[in-house]
Amino acid sequence: MQPGALADLRVLELTAGMAGPWIGRFMAWCGAEVIKVESKTRPDVTRQYVPPWAPERGIEPQLSPWFTDWNAGKRFVALDLKHPEAVALAKRLVARCDVVVENYAPGVLEKLGLGWEELARVKHDLVLLSTSGFGDSGPYRSHVTWGPNIEAVSGLATTSGFAERPCTMTHYAYPDSLSALHGLFAVMCALDHRSRTGEGQRIDLSQLEATIAVYGEALVEPLVRGRAVERLGNRSRHAAPHGCYSCAGEDRWCAISVFDDEAWRRLCRVAEHPEWIEEPRFATLDARLANVAELDRRIESWTREHDAFELMESLQAAGVAAGVVQTTEDQYRRDPQLAARDFFEEIEHRVKGTVVATGIPLGLRGTPGRTPHAGSAVGEDNDYVFGEILSLTSDERRRLTESGAIEPRDEPRR
Amino acid sequence: MVSDPHEAPAALAGRRVLEIADEQGAYCGKLFADMGADVVKIERPGGDASRLVPPFWGDEPHPERSLPFLYANTSKRGVTLDLEQASGREIFRRLAARADVVIETLPPRTLDALGLGWDDLHALRPELVLTSITGFGQSGPRAGWRSSDLVANALGGAAMVTGYAEDPPVRLAGSHAHVMASTNAAAATMIALHHAARTGAGQHVDISIQETMVAVTHICGVGKWLDDGIVPRRAGTGLFASVPSGAYRCRDGLAYLMINRPAHWRALAEWVHEETGNEAILSPLFEGPSSQRLEERELLDVWIEDLTSRHTVREVVQQGQRRHLAFTAVQSAEEVIRDPQLAARGFFVEVGTEGADGVRLPGAPYRHARTPWRIRRPAPRVGEHDVEIYCGELGIGEDELDRLRAEGAI
C-alpha cells in the first residue's frame, strides 16, 4: 500500500457538524493524522443521533452514520476548554500540528485564549482555517446558522426550481459540503505557500460567500443587468429537451439532455418515432426551445410508458445523455459504474463491526486513500494523543484528568 | 504574468497549469488562477464551444460575451491549439514539460489516442499531475457514457432530494455538478502536488462528476439509509434530521429556521409561548434531540408560523438571532446583491472586460490573510496570449508562428 499523499501532516480540529469536519475526513483518508477536540458538555452535534429503529435506546454517540461520514479515521480527545490547563494542552497540540480547522462561532476561539495571535505564537507557520456562516467580519458575523440557512440567505433557494415555487431547497445541507470542498482547497493552497516561504496564515471562509461563488454563473446576469433571474426548473437555455421526465412506476424519472440536432434525431429513433424528426417545430434547437412546453409533453408521453433504467440504457447506447434520477438505494444496489469503481467504502467500526460509507471522491490513482476505523467515543484517543504525541507521563495525565482539564473517555453503553 | 512588487503574494505563485476544459472543468482552473497560479487555457482554433453558452453580455451571442464563460475563466491566459495536428501536439508537449498540472475534460482515452495520455505525460515529466474530470470517471462500464450537469444531478442523487414531493425532481440554478466536480478536482490536485513535492512522483487524478455528487449529497446517502432503512426523497424546505426546520411565512416574506440543539429548542419554545400564549409548546415531551419532535413536526410548524407570521422577516431574524436561534432571511437574487453583510466585506468585485465597462462578479470564496484571492485579469479572448506564450515563452519565431497559423494548428 502506498503511503497516503498527506502522511506527513498533522491536523487539529475544533469542529462540529459537517462543514468543518468533512475537511478533516478527507485529510485523514489521505493519511494525515487528524485529532479532533470535543468535550462531553458540547460533543459534536452529529453524535446526537437516536436510532429510529430503537428510539428507546436514546442518543447513541458512536453509532451515528453522520458521525462516521464526517469523522471516521480521526483521533479523538476530550478537553474542557474552559479550563486553563486544557487550553495550555490544546496549544501544545497546536505546536505539533501543521493545520488547525475550526468552525466555532466567530470570536469563540479568541475568548478561549486560542485566537490566531496565540496560536501563531506557539506555531509560527501554522495554517488556521476558520469556517463560519457569514465570515469573521461584518454585521452578521455572530449570527447563528446551519447549512440550510445559507441556502436561503444566499439567494440559491429563490433562484432555483420551478417558477411557481417561492423557494426550492436541497435536502443535503449543500452549503456544508460545498464549503468543506472549498475549505480543503484553501488549506492546501496555504500549505503550498508555506512550503515555498515558510509562512503560515489564517483563512476566513464565509459559507455564504462560498455558496454564492458556487452558483455565481447564475448570479452574473442580475449582477450585470440588475434584473431578476428567470427560474428555469430543469430547462436549459441551450438544450432541449432538457428535463427529468416521468417514467413508469412511482416517483421514477429519467433525466435527458439534448444539446444538438443530431442527438435529437437519435432520441426520436430510440423512441421509435422517426416521424418526430420531420416536424419543423422540433427540427432545430431554436425551434425546440421556442416550443419547449409542447416538446416536454411530447417526450413525457413516451417516457411515461417505459422503465427509467431501460430508457437510460437505450438512450446512452444511442449516444444521448440520459440518467435515472437515482435514490440512495439505486446507487448502492443497482449502479454498476459505482460498483466497478469500488466507490462505497467498507470501514471497520469499533461498535458495529463494519459500516459502509460514501466514498471520498478524490480519485488519487497514485495514492489511493483509506479510512482505518469508525465509531470512536469522545476522548477515545486521550492516552495516545497526550501520552505519545505530547509525552505526558501517566501521572501527569491522571492529575490533568482529576483537575477536569482532560475529560475521561466516554464509555460506550454496550 | 505582470507582477506588482507592492502586491500581496499569491499562494500559488509559480505554479503552472494547463487547462483543456469545457464547462465541466473551467471552474477548477478558475480556482487555481484566482489563487495566483499561471493557468493557460488551451482552446481549439476558433475557441471552445463553452464560449457560446447563454446568457450573453448585451444579449447578443458572441464568443467573448458569454456570462457563464466570463465568470468561470477569470485570471487565466488563453491560447489556441489544434491537438489533432502533429505540430499542435508537439507544442502541447513543450508546454506540458514546463507545467505542474494538466486539467482536462475530454472523453476518457482521448488524450491517450493523441499520444498525450497519462503514460506519455508521466514519461515527459514524472512530477506532473494530470487531472481528468469526466461524467463517470476513466474506468468502469459507463466510462464512455454521455453526461450533462442535469444527468450528473440525477445519477449522483441530488435531484431526488431537491424540491417538493409533488413536483418532479429538480436541479439548482447554476451548474452544481460541474462546479462541485471542479472544486473536488482542485483539492485533489493540490493534494497530489503536495505528495509530488515530497516524493517527486506525480499522479493521475481521476475525477468522476457522478461520484462527486454522490459525496456532496451524502447526508442523504448510504450510511443513513443502511442504518434506518428510509430512502430520502424530496420533502420541501425542512431538513429531515432537524425538527423543526424549514422556511416559515412572515408578514412580508419567508424566514428560514433550523433547530439542532436541545437548548435552541427551549429558546424557541419560550419565544413562541411569550408571544402567542401557546402553553402546549413548552411540554417536556418536545425537549431533547430532534427525534423527540419528529412525529409532531407539522403541528410544531403551525405553532411556529403563528409566531413568525406576526412579524416582518427582518424582525424575525433580528429577534431570533438575539435569542441565538438560527433564523435567516430567504433572500432574492436582488436582495443578495444589496446584502449589507456582503457589502461590508466587499464581496462582489468589478472586472474590466473588453467591450464592456466592468462586469461585477462574485468574489472570494475564502480569504487568505497573507495571500489573498484575487481576480488577476478578465477571462481571455480567443487566442489572446498566443504570441505572448508561443513566441515569448516557447521561443517560437514569427515565421514559424505564421506557418502554424496557416496550417490551422493555432
Side-chain angles (χ1 to χ4, degrees), chain A residues 246-328:
Chain A
S246 182
C247 298
E250 194 174 331
D251 206 18
R252 278 295 173 198
W253 311 82
C254 187
I256 301 172
S257 297
V258 171
F259 289 97
D260 56 45
D261 299 340
E262 176 54 35
W264 166 245
R265 291 189 286 270
R266 291 191 205 130
L267 180 144
C268 295
R269 284 183 213 111
V270 171
E272 297 179 349
H273 283 293
E275 75 279 7
W276 293 355
I277 296 173
E278 309 305 324
E279 289 186 57
R281 64 191 159 156
F282 299 142
T284 64
L285 177 59
D286 284 343
R288 288 192 299 280
L289 286 170
N291 300 298
V292 70
E294 203 184 341
L295 176 73
D296 282 346
R297 278 196 297 277
R298 174 75 64 84
I299 298 294
E300 209 151 64
S301 72
W302 162 58
T303 58
R304 195 181 293 129
E305 305 300 319
H306 295 272
D307 174 77
F309 287 86
E310 285 170 18
L311 274 183
M312 167 177 72
E313 295 280 348
S314 50
L315 284 167
Q316 285 283 0
V320 178
V324 172
V325 176
Q326 294 201 112
T327 65
T328 299

Side-chain angles (χ1 to χ4, degrees), chain A residues 4-6 8 18 22 42 45 49-50 52-53 65-66 69-70 134-140 143-144 146 148-149 152-155 158-160 162 165 167 169-172 174 177-178 182 184-186 188-189 192-193 196 199-206 208-209 212-217 222-225 228 234 237-238 242-243 251 253 255 257 312-313 316 319 321-329 331-332 335-338 340-341 343-344 352 356 358 361-367, chain B residues 11-13 15 27 31 54-57 59 71 136-142 145-146 148 150-151 154-158 160-164 166-173 175-176 180 183-184 186-188 190-191 194-195 198 203-207 210-211 214-223 225-228 231 233-235 238-241 256 258 260-261 291 321 326 328-332 334 336-337 340-342 344-345 347 359-360 362 364-371:
Chain A
L6 303 182
D8 59 323
M18 177 175 168
W22 210 34
R42 271 179 95 80
V45 64
Y49 173 77
V50 178
W53 31 267
W66 296 307
D69 278 332
W70 304 328
F134 287 104
D136 200 16
S137 63
Y140 301 165
H143 279 201
V144 183
W146 303 91
N149 289 103
V153 79
S154 65
T158 59
T159 53
S160 298
F162 301 105
R165 289 294 183 188
C167 63
M169 297 189 61
T170 77
H171 228 43
Y172 49 92
Y174 182 35
S177 35
L178 73 87
H182 279 81
L184 178 61
F185 177 70
M188 294 309 304
C189 286
D192 208 52
H193 178 73
R196 243 187 334 274
E199 293 173 348
Q201 62 182 314
R202 66 174 313 193
I203 306 162
D204 169 23
L205 189 153
S206 150
L208 171 62
E209 290 167 354
I212 295 174
V214 158
Y215 88 103
E217 73 168 65
L223 272 168
V224 166
R225 297 178 179 163
N234 287 321
R237 288 198 249 202
H238 64 117
H242 196 272
D251 206 18
W253 311 82
S257 297
M312 167 177 72
E313 295 280 348
Q316 285 283 0
V324 172
V325 176
Q326 294 201 112
T327 65
T328 299
E329 186 174 8
Q331 290 170 341
Y332 188 64
D335 188 315
Q337 180 68 11
L338 294 174
R341 287 168 60 87
F343 178 65
F344 295 104
K352 286 181 175 169
V356 176
T358 297
L362 290 171
L364 297 167
R365 286 188 149 188
T367 56
Chain B
L12 301 182
R15 289 291 191 186
Y27 189 78
L31 290 173
F56 296 92
W57 172 264
D59 280 331
Y71 178 61
F136 300 92
Q138 302 290 304
S139 63
R142 294 179 178 172
W145 274 23
R146 306 289 174 104
S148 72
L150 182 66
V151 165
L155 287 166
M160 185 50 98
V161 292
T162 302
Y164 296 83
E166 57 271 36
D167 292 344
V170 70
R171 68 167 180 160
L172 300 173
S175 304
H176 294 270
M180 283 296 96
T183 311
N184 177 36
M190 287 305 302
I191 291 169
H194 181 88
H195 181 255
R198 200 168 83 249
Q203 60 180 301
H204 191 180
V205 176
D206 170 15
I207 299 295
Q210 183 197 4
E211 286 174 3
V214 179
V216 163
T217 59
H218 73 283
I219 188 172
C220 297
V222 64
W225 163 65
L226 287 174
D227 197 280
D228 67 15
V231 173
R233 289 176 192 274
R234 301 177 301 294
L239 200 71
F240 59 91
Y256 193 88
M258 182 154 159
N260 246 352
R261 289 187 189 274
S291 53
Q321 287 288 345
T328 44
V330 178
Q331 298 201 104
S332 68
E334 296 89 327
V336 170
I337 288 167
Q341 171 70 12
L342 295 167
R345 285 167 61 89
F347 175 66
V359 175
R360 281 178 84 207
Y366 25 63
R367 291 159 189 256
H368 290 67
R370 261 189 216 273
T371 58

Side-chain angles (χ1 to χ4, degrees), chain B residues 117-363:
Chain B
W118 165 245
D119 292 336
D120 308 290
L121 295 179
H122 186 59
L124 183 73
R125 184 163 160 85
E127 60 270 50
L128 184 88
V129 174
L130 170 64
T131 299
S132 300
I133 304 169
T134 55
F136 300 92
Q138 302 290 304
S139 63
R142 294 179 178 172
W145 274 23
R146 306 289 174 104
S147 188
S148 72
D149 190 72
L150 182 66
V151 165
N153 270 278
L155 287 166
M160 185 50 98
V161 292
T162 302
Y164 296 83
E166 57 271 36
D167 292 344
V170 70
R171 68 167 180 160
L172 300 173
S175 304
H176 294 270
H178 294 160
V179 169
M180 283 296 96
S182 287
T183 311
N184 177 36
T189 304
M190 287 305 302
I191 291 169
L193 284 174
H194 181 88
H195 181 255
R198 200 168 83 249
T199 63
Q203 60 180 301
H204 191 180
V205 176
D206 170 15
I207 299 295
S208 151
I209 300 173
Q210 183 197 4
E211 286 174 3
T212 305
M213 286 312 283
V214 179
V216 163
T217 59
H218 73 283
I219 188 172
C220 297
V222 64
K224 181 211 157 289
W225 163 65
L226 287 174
D227 197 280
D228 67 15
I230 302 165
V231 173
R233 289 176 192 274
R234 301 177 301 294
T237 60
L239 200 71
F240 59 91
S242 301
V243 185
S245 60
Y248 294 88
R249 249 194 317 277
C250 305
R251 268 171 39 208
D252 57 347
L254 295 168
Y256 193 88
L257 166 70
M258 182 154 159
I259 295 289
N260 246 352
R261 289 187 189 274
H264 294 165
W265 165 256
R266 278 195 297 279
L268 176 69
E270 279 161 21
W271 187 16
V272 171
H273 170 246
E274 276 170 35
E275 290 223 11
T276 70
N278 185 329
E279 295 279 344
I281 199 165
L282 297 175
S283 165
L285 288 174
F286 299 133
E287 303 233 339
S290 279
S291 53
Q292 289 294 114
R293 298 179 288 276
L294 193 57
E295 290 189 8
E296 301 299 340
R297 177 168 213 152
E298 288 174 20
L299 178 64
L300 297 178
D301 284 347
V302 172
W303 290 350
I304 294 163
E305 214 153 66
D306 187 20
L307 166 73
T308 56
S309 59
R310 297 167 189 228
H311 294 282
T312 62
V313 173
R314 195 183 159 82
E315 288 163 359
V316 167
V317 171
Q318 282 184 343
Q319 294 180 32
Q321 287 288 345
R322 217 172 289 142
R323 294 168 190 259
H324 299 288
L325 294 170
F327 265 115
T328 44
V330 178
Q331 298 201 104
S332 68
E334 296 89 327
E335 287 169 323
V336 170
I337 288 167
R338 297 192 310 262
D339 182 273
Q341 171 70 12
L342 295 167
R345 285 167 61 89
F347 175 66
F348 294 107
V349 294
E350 190 143 318
V351 178
T353 292
E354 199 84 6
D357 19 281
V359 175
R360 281 178 84 207
L361 296 177

